[in-house]
Amino acid sequence: MKALYQAVATTTGGRSGHVKSDDGIIDMDLELPTGLGGKGGEYTNPEQLFAAGYSACFGSALQFVAKENDVYLGDDFKVQATVGIGKHPELGGFLLEVTLDVTLPGVENEVGEKLINQAHEVCPYSRATADNVDVTLNLMV
């Protein structure tokens, strides 16, 4: 693969540290959420950043497959990504799970289901998580 774009971000201090992108657009403190034993607060965390990236990427994949299928999505379609983290029940360590709730106003359910399944096949985040992360796709009506 020849990369068309590369994003660079550096974190110091792990989950309770600081993350900054090479262009300075992302420049924020991180904190371990209270659900994982941290102090939480008004800070972001890796799961929120992953949810933001996945929902945006999946939305673009939806636009791509909709265009290929001659379906107009409009500007008000939504992808909500919920990222969960928990302990691996057998191997130790941690696992992620993702739920993508997709709202496609004005698109028939059958067409919407087809689009979200096709988007899941072409989305780079979906490909990266394949066979590694449980991903649930929901068409919201």
Side-chain angles (χ1 to χ4, degrees), residues 61-131:
L62 275 168
Q63 289 174 310
F64 175 78
V65 297
K67 185 175 181 182
E68 285 193 333
N69 287 277
D70 293 320
V71 176
Y72 178 70
L73 291 183
D75 294 329
D76 57 348
F77 73 96
K78 296 178 188 173
V79 179
Q80 177 178 297
T82 303
V83 175
I85 184 170
K87 291 188 177 182
H88 193 291
E90 298 158 2
L91 302 176
F94 295 89
L95 292 172
L96 295 176
E97 64 182 12
V98 176
T99 301
L100 298 175
D101 292 327
V102 181
T103 305
L104 303 173
V107 176
E108 295 178 18
N109 287 352
E110 186 176 312
V111 173
E113 290 287 346
K114 177 182 174 183
L115 292 177
I116 64 172
N117 287 317
Q118 287 179 351
H120 193 52
E121 294 296 319
V122 302
C123 175
Y125 274 65
S126 292
R127 287 183 173 177
T129 60
D131 300 322

Side-chain angles (χ1 to χ4, degrees), residues 21-82:
S21 60
D22 63 337
D23 60 8
I25 292 174
I26 296 173
D27 189 358
M28 62 185 68
D29 290 330
L30 304 170
E31 186 54 62
L32 189 66
T34 56
L36 293 177
K39 66 180 180 180
E42 293 188 22
Y43 302 96
T44 194
N45 58 66
E47 292 72 36
Q48 287 179 331
L49 295 169
F50 187 74
Y54 203 159
S55 64
C57 189
F58 197 84
S60 290
L62 275 168
Q63 289 174 310
F64 175 78
V65 297
K67 185 175 181 182
E68 285 193 333
N69 287 277
D70 293 320
V71 176
Y72 178 70
L73 291 183
D75 294 329
D76 57 348
F77 73 96
K78 296 178 188 173
V79 179
Q80 177 178 297
T82 303

Side-chain angles (χ1 to χ4, degrees), residues 1-7:
M1 174 194 90
K2 181 182 178 201
L4 301 175
Y5 169 77
Q6 292 181 330

